């Protein structure tokens, strides 16, 4: 038997190495500089320690800080480093779980009888860096369950003992760095020396395993970097993000609010916010009308059996609100978690012919999901949200053209709302986790191949993500980069051969036989709530002129010019320009400053000269004076500006 293995690198070149070689050894054979930057390795698609032996032929990708998986591995290792620092500073402390997250990591900690003081965060950071400078190796070791239990019993850590309950011999590994040992699957970076900058970002409460009936632990969020300047830049970005936080701006602009009595995660839209939503809805409805969509409306609840048929109950039942029972025996309803089952029933309401297809149903439908209270966050994570949902029922031959038309619609939405930088993410199913999905392999292969081909024709910048598909079909997700460089998922298109099968949808083809339609799910906004939150943060509340809830403020210099201001306002209203007259008894300087804070696009200032000349003095938000105009001239100027933004 040969003691050599073949390693295939990302450029498809192949090299031979001795069996048992480590990814770090392979990196060194390529370049010493590369080896110094390797954090982890992807071996046959699995993220692993770069110091683990490779025993068979494999594909290999060496992961550095420039790779998302590399960052995630370093942040996972940083959680262990923080735990080591905490154990040194707070002897007897106990630990729950400590995973990496999108930007950093956290660890849930039980400080026992101690009152944790957030004033000590700097002390923890300093201790982390002190330990990091020791360049302690992360050492992986397989542990028999009996030994693992004995270790944590001696340590008195009931949380790790509970995590061990579902594991068996052969499934348990410990990782040790320095003086800290943890139950962990890995992977980890080679040693702590890669960590050069650390910051504890936030401290919060978190119930053990998310159960409100269990003990509340202290969750410490942190982030680390290989260079101090990268941490400094990240903290600067966080400060800018704080100023753009949609919750802060939403309150300042009086767009939405929340009420404990109404319920957590259920936003209340104030008048200005309602105008914003209505403008967005009308904008998309006009575009959909041109594209051949029919508007439908479905109820906020549906019979439980509807969602059992669709598969949503099996997949999302635990995340739904509890069934609603009626006086009738065994009759159960659910708050609607998705709109698509309702649209399937609308399609099924009468016999269909191929001549009718494609049929495009659109609805701004509000759906409900029971998110854990700790996961709720402003408008981005709520329990009731409105989707700009549409479902296209078409023939196999029509899928490509319909999918392409939806891409065009999404791009139009992005352009009109100032989202210029985006990537199209092709989200595919993971064949290794087939239990996550419904439908047969042939349908999945057909749908995924079709999406790849259409995206290539459209020449979109793409990435492929395995395992990110919806449970009923692959999808194209649009990942938008905002003004601060953050990435958000906005807009989705999904091809579905499964729901038409489950609902037994049919149409009569040109051969006079029954056929199943294909279903395309699409939502350019996604959720109205989340879209508006991201729009607020991307624009810092400076909405496009056509969308702004209040487009003008008319500022009379004194009470003597209130009547003239009202006359001007009436002219604006007749031209569908939204705004108000500021009749407060304040100096004009304060009125201007207050209007700037409200981010109102235009101020029309009126006084003696303006009244005598039948004019207004125009100021633009962020730009200052742009001159005097008659009301008619301003209306023409305003309409031209609006047309530029939505053409």
């Amino acid at each position: 038997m040969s003691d050599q293995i073949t390693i295939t690198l990302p450029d498809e070149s192949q090299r031979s190495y001795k069996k048992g070689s480590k990814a770090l050894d392979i990196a060194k054979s390529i370049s010493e500089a590369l080896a110094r930057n390797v954090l982890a390795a992807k071996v046959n698609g699995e993220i692993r320690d770069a110091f683990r032996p490779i025993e068979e032929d494999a594909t290999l990708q060496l992961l550095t800080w420039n790779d998302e998986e590399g960052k995630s591995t370093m942040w996972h290792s940083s959680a262990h480093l923080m735990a080591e620092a905490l154990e040194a500073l707070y002897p007897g402390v106990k630990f729950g779980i400590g995973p990496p997250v999108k930007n950093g990591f956290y660890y849930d900690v039980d400080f026992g009888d101690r009152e944790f003081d957030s004033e000590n965060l700097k002390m923890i950071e300093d201790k982390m860096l002190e330990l990091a400078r020791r360049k302690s190796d992360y050492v992986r070791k397989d542990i028999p369950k009996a030994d693992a239990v004995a270790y944590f019993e001696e340590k008195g850590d009931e949380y790790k003992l509970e995590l061990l309950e579902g594991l068996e011999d052969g499934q348990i590994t410990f990782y040790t760095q320095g003086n800290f040992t943890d139950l962990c699957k890995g992977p980890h970076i080679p040693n702590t020396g890669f960590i050069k900058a650390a910051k504890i970002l936030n401290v919060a409460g978190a119930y053990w395993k998310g159960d409100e009936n269990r003990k509340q632990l202290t969750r410490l969020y942190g982030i680390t970097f290989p260079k101090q300047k990268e941490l400094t830049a990240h903290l600067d970005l966080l400060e800018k993000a704080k100023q753009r936080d949609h919750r802060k701006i939403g309150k300042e602009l009086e767009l939405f609010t929340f009420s404990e009595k109404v319920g957590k995660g259920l936003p209340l839209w104030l008048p200005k916010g309602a105008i914003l939503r209505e403008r967005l809805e009308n904008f998309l409805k006009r575009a959909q009308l041109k594209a051949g969509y029919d508007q439908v409306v479905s109820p906020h609840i549906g019979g439980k059996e509807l969602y059992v048929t669709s598969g949503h109950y099996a997949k999302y039942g635990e995340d739904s609100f509890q069934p609603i029972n009626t006086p009738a025996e065994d009759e159960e309803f659910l708050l609607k978690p998705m709109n698509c089952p309702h649209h399937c029933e609308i399609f099924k309401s009468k016999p269909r012919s191929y001549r009718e297809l494609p049929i495009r149903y659109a609805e701004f439908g509000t759906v409900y999901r029971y998110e854990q209270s700790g996961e709720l966050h402003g408008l981005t994570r709520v329990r009731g949200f409105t989707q700009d949902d549409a479902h296209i029922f078409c023939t196999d031959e029509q899928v490509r053209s319909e999918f392409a038309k939806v891409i065009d619609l999404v791009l139009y939405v992005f352009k009109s709302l100032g989202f210029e930088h985006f990537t199209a993410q092709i989200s595919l199913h993971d064949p290794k986790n087939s239990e996550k999905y419904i439908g047969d392999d042939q349908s999945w292969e057909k749908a995924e191949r079709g999406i790849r081909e259409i995206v290539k024709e459209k020449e979109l910048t793409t990435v492929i993500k395995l395992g990110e598909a919806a449970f009923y079909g692959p999808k194209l997700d649009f990942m938008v980069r905002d003004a601060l460089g953050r990435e958000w998922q906005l807009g989705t298109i999904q091809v579905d051969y499964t729901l038409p099968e489950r609902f037994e949808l049919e149409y009569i083809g040109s051969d006079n036989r029954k056929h199943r339609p294909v279903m395309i799910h699409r939502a350019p906004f996604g959720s109205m709530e989340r879209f508006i939150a991201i729009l607020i943060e991307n624009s810092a509340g400076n909405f496009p002129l056509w969308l702004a809830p209040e487009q003008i403020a008319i500022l009379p210099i004194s009470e003597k010019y209130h009547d003239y201001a009202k006359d001007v306002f009436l002219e604006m209203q007749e031209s569908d320009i939204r705004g108000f007259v500021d009749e407060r008894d304040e100096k004009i300087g304060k009125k201007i400053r207050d209007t700037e804070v409200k981010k109102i696009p235009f101020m029309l200032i009126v006084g003696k000269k303006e009244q005598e000349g039948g004019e207004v003095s125009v100021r633009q938000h962020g730009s200052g004076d742009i001159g005097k105009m008659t009301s008619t001239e301003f209306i023409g100027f305003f309409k031209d500006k609006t047309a530029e933004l939505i053409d």
Side-chain angles (χ1 to χ4, degrees):
M1 184 179 290
S2 172
D3 66 347
Q4 296 291 302
I5 56 173
T6 300
I7 297 297
T8 304
L9 298 171
D11 63 0
E12 298 188 356
S13 64
Q14 293 186 328
R15 299 187 181 205
S16 291
Y17 292 92
K18 188 176 180 180
K19 186 181 292 186
S21 294
K22 302 169 185 175
L24 277 176
D25 299 328
I26 295 169
K28 285 177 185 175
S29 75
I30 298 170
S31 159
E32 286 285 344
L34 172 62
R36 287 194 295 271
N37 290 292
V38 170
L39 298 174
K42 187 182 285 187
V43 181
N44 289 331
E46 177 192 0
I47 312 300
R48 294 174 54 173
D49 308 307
F51 48 82
R52 280 183 65 184
I54 303 173
E55 303 291 349
E56 59 187 8
D57 294 348
T59 59
L60 173 67
Q61 180 184 352
L62 299 167
L63 302 173
T64 70
W65 181 251
N66 295 323
D67 300 294
E68 290 301 317
E69 298 101 326
K71 286 185 175 72
S72 181
T73 302
M74 181 157 136
W75 286 332
H76 185 187
S77 300
S78 299
H80 284 228
L81 181 66
M82 182 176 72
E84 184 183 3
L86 289 167
E87 205 164 60
L89 295 168
Y90 303 91
V93 70
K94 300 173 186 178
F95 299 100
I97 59 171
V101 291
K102 186 174 178 63
N103 282 300
F105 57 90
Y106 70 79
Y107 221 127
D108 290 339
V109 186
D110 184 350
F111 286 94
D113 296 332
R114 295 184 183 92
E115 191 73 34
F116 179 72
D117 188 350
S118 58
E119 295 295 318
N120 294 335
L121 297 184
K122 180 68 166 60
M123 179 177 69
I124 299 170
E125 294 162 5
D126 290 343
K127 190 66 175 180
M128 288 176 67
L129 295 178
E130 175 194 325
L131 296 170
R133 286 191 289 270
R134 297 178 185 176
K135 298 184 179 180
S136 300
D137 290 340
Y138 285 86
V139 180
R140 183 181 189 272
K141 187 177 180 182
D142 292 305
I143 300 288
K145 183 168 183 176
D147 292 352
V149 170
Y151 177 83
F152 285 112
E153 281 181 341
E154 183 178 347
K155 198 173 182 182
D157 194 328
E158 65 268 27
Y159 303 105
K160 299 299 182 183
L161 288 169
E162 188 173 336
L163 292 173
L164 281 165
E165 287 175 4
L167 301 176
E168 301 298 334
D169 284 341
Q171 299 178 320
I172 301 168
T173 52
F174 278 8
Y175 277 84
T176 299
Q177 95 278 350
N179 294 317
F180 180 71
T181 297
D182 204 358
L183 170 68
C184 182
K185 291 192 298 185
H188 285 284
I189 60 178
N191 65 70
T192 60
F194 287 90
I195 300 167
K196 298 290 188 359
K199 185 71 177 177
I200 311 299
L201 298 171
N202 190 27
V203 180
Y207 293 105
W208 173 233
K209 291 193 170 180
D211 186 343
E212 296 178 7
N213 297 312
R214 307 291 296 272
K215 184 169 183 177
Q216 188 175 60
L217 307 180
T218 301
R219 178 170 291 182
L220 275 70
Y221 288 91
I223 196 165
T224 56
F225 290 89
K227 295 179 182 177
Q228 178 61 43
K229 67 178 183 180
E230 292 181 343
L231 172 59
T232 302
H234 181 75
L235 295 177
D236 181 56
L237 181 68
L238 290 181
E239 186 56 37
K240 290 177 180 175
K242 192 185 298 181
Q243 296 307 312
R244 288 171 175 255
D245 191 311
H246 73 279
R247 295 167 298 177
K248 172 180 176 289
I249 294 175
K251 184 176 182 179
E252 292 170 351
L253 300 187
E254 299 178 358
L255 300 176
F256 59 87
T257 189
F258 289 89
S259 161
E260 286 290 326
K261 288 185 178 179
V262 172
K264 293 179 180 179
L266 300 171
L268 297 168
W269 291 91
L270 305 176
K272 293 174 188 176
I275 290 172
L276 181 67
R277 279 181 62 115
E278 183 181 34
R279 298 289 289 190
L280 279 171
E281 284 192 17
N282 290 341
F283 159 72
L284 189 55
K285 282 178 179 177
R286 285 194 298 272
Q288 288 176 164
L289 186 63
K290 290 180 182 177
Y293 287 81
D294 292 313
Q295 203 72 23
V296 297
V297 178
S298 61
H300 289 251
I301 65 173
K304 178 181 171 182
E305 190 58 35
L306 177 70
Y307 308 114
V308 170
T309 300
S310 70
H312 288 97
Y313 189 77
K315 294 292 178 181
Y316 301 119
E318 293 182 2
D319 298 323
S320 300
F321 286 89
Q322 291 298 302
I324 302 166
N325 294 299
T326 72
E329 189 176 353
D330 296 329
E331 187 175 51
E332 287 185 315
F333 288 84
L334 290 178
L335 286 171
K336 178 170 61 172
M338 294 290 261
N339 297 302
C340 36
H342 296 250
H343 291 189
C344 286
E345 289 298 303
I346 293 174
F347 179 89
K348 200 176 178 180
S349 63
K350 69 174 187 177
R352 303 290 181 179
S353 163
Y354 74 95
R355 293 188 179 89
E356 297 176 69
L357 303 185
I359 291 174
R360 309 177 187 96
Y361 292 140
E363 176 180 15
F364 285 87
T366 302
V367 298
Y368 303 88
R369 314 267 177 83
Y370 186 76
E371 302 285 356
Q372 295 291 331
S373 59
E375 300 294 325
L376 299 173
H377 181 81
L379 294 179
T380 60
R381 200 71 178 265
V382 290
R383 288 175 173 170
F385 55 95
T386 302
Q387 293 179 311
D388 60 320
D389 241 344
H391 298 94
I392 302 167
F393 301 89
C394 59
T395 67
D396 242 335
E397 296 75 24
Q398 293 168 335
V399 169
R400 293 175 69 89
S401 63
E402 288 301 308
F403 200 96
K405 288 174 186 175
V406 176
I407 290 176
D408 292 337
L409 179 62
V410 172
L411 299 184
Y412 169 70
V413 169
F414 287 177
K415 179 185 175 185
S416 300
L417 291 162
F419 292 106
E420 299 174 357
H421 308 288
F422 60 88
T423 300
Q425 176 179 302
I426 303 174
S427 299
L428 308 177
H429 82 300
D430 182 357
K432 295 179 182 177
N433 291 302
S434 56
E435 70 279 357
K436 288 173 56 179
Y437 312 99
I438 57 178
D440 60 79
D441 291 342
Q442 184 179 357
S443 295
W444 277 93
E445 194 278 329
K446 184 195 295 186
E448 291 179 347
R449 184 179 66 249
I451 289 177
R452 289 174 189 264
E453 291 172 353
I454 296 164
V455 167
K456 186 176 181 180
E457 288 175 9
K458 287 289 182 181
E459 299 181 343
L460 298 177
T461 303
T462 60
V463 295
I464 293 176
K465 290 287 186 178
L466 200 65
E468 295 293 317
F471 76 93
Y472 48 75
K475 55 182 180 168
L476 186 66
D477 293 323
F478 289 85
M479 312 304 291
V480 174
R481 197 167 294 279
D482 71 9
L484 295 179
R486 300 169 301 179
E487 193 171 69
W488 304 89
Q489 191 254 305
L490 286 180
T492 184
I493 317 171
Q494 303 162 11
V495 178
D496 182 2
Y497 288 86
T498 302
L499 285 190
E501 189 70 37
R502 294 175 78 99
F503 278 94
E504 299 180 339
L505 304 184
E506 297 173 343
Y507 69 89
I508 302 300
S510 57
D511 58 1
N512 212 31
R513 292 183 172 183
K514 292 179 179 179
H515 298 268
R516 291 267 186 260
V518 183
M519 194 172 174
I520 298 175
H521 307 241
R522 52 109 284 202
F525 293 151
S527 129
M528 290 290 288
E529 285 70 16
R530 188 168 179 274
F531 187 88
I532 289 172
I534 296 166
L535 180 62
I536 289 170
E537 296 192 5
N538 185 55
S539 66
N542 297 300
F543 300 116
L545 180 58
W546 64 271
L547 188 58
E550 293 176 319
Q551 298 165 318
I552 61 166
I554 302 176
L555 313 181
I557 289 175
S558 70
E559 187 179 351
K560 289 189 291 184
Y561 307 107
H562 282 186
D563 288 343
Y564 178 59
K566 290 174 184 175
D567 290 341
V568 171
F569 181 55
L570 286 174
E571 290 184 72
M572 300 299 147
Q573 280 188 312
E574 288 173 2
S575 295
D576 195 30
I577 299 175
R578 303 181 301 280
F580 64 94
V581 177
D582 188 344
E583 296 183 278
R584 294 178 300 158
D585 185 19
E586 299 283 0
K587 291 184 177 180
I588 191 64
K590 178 169 174 51
K591 289 183 178 183
I592 290 171
R593 287 193 298 274
D594 291 348
T595 307
E596 282 286 346
V597 169
K598 292 178 180 177
K599 305 178 188 291
I600 295 168
F602 289 104
M603 290 171 253
L604 309 184
I605 299 168
V606 295
K608 181 178 179 182
K609 290 181 180 178
E610 288 79 13
Q611 181 171 310
E612 289 175 349
E615 296 174 320
V616 294
S617 290
V618 183
R619 288 180 64 92
Q620 187 167 358
H621 173 61
S623 301
D625 284 319
I626 59 174
K628 290 186 179 181
M629 304 181 193
T630 65
S631 295
T632 302
E633 288 170 341
F634 175 76
I635 290 168
F637 166 80
F638 182 94
K639 296 296 184 186
D640 288 344
K641 280 280 187 185
T642 306
E644 287 173 14
L645 292 166
I646 59 175
D647 277 351

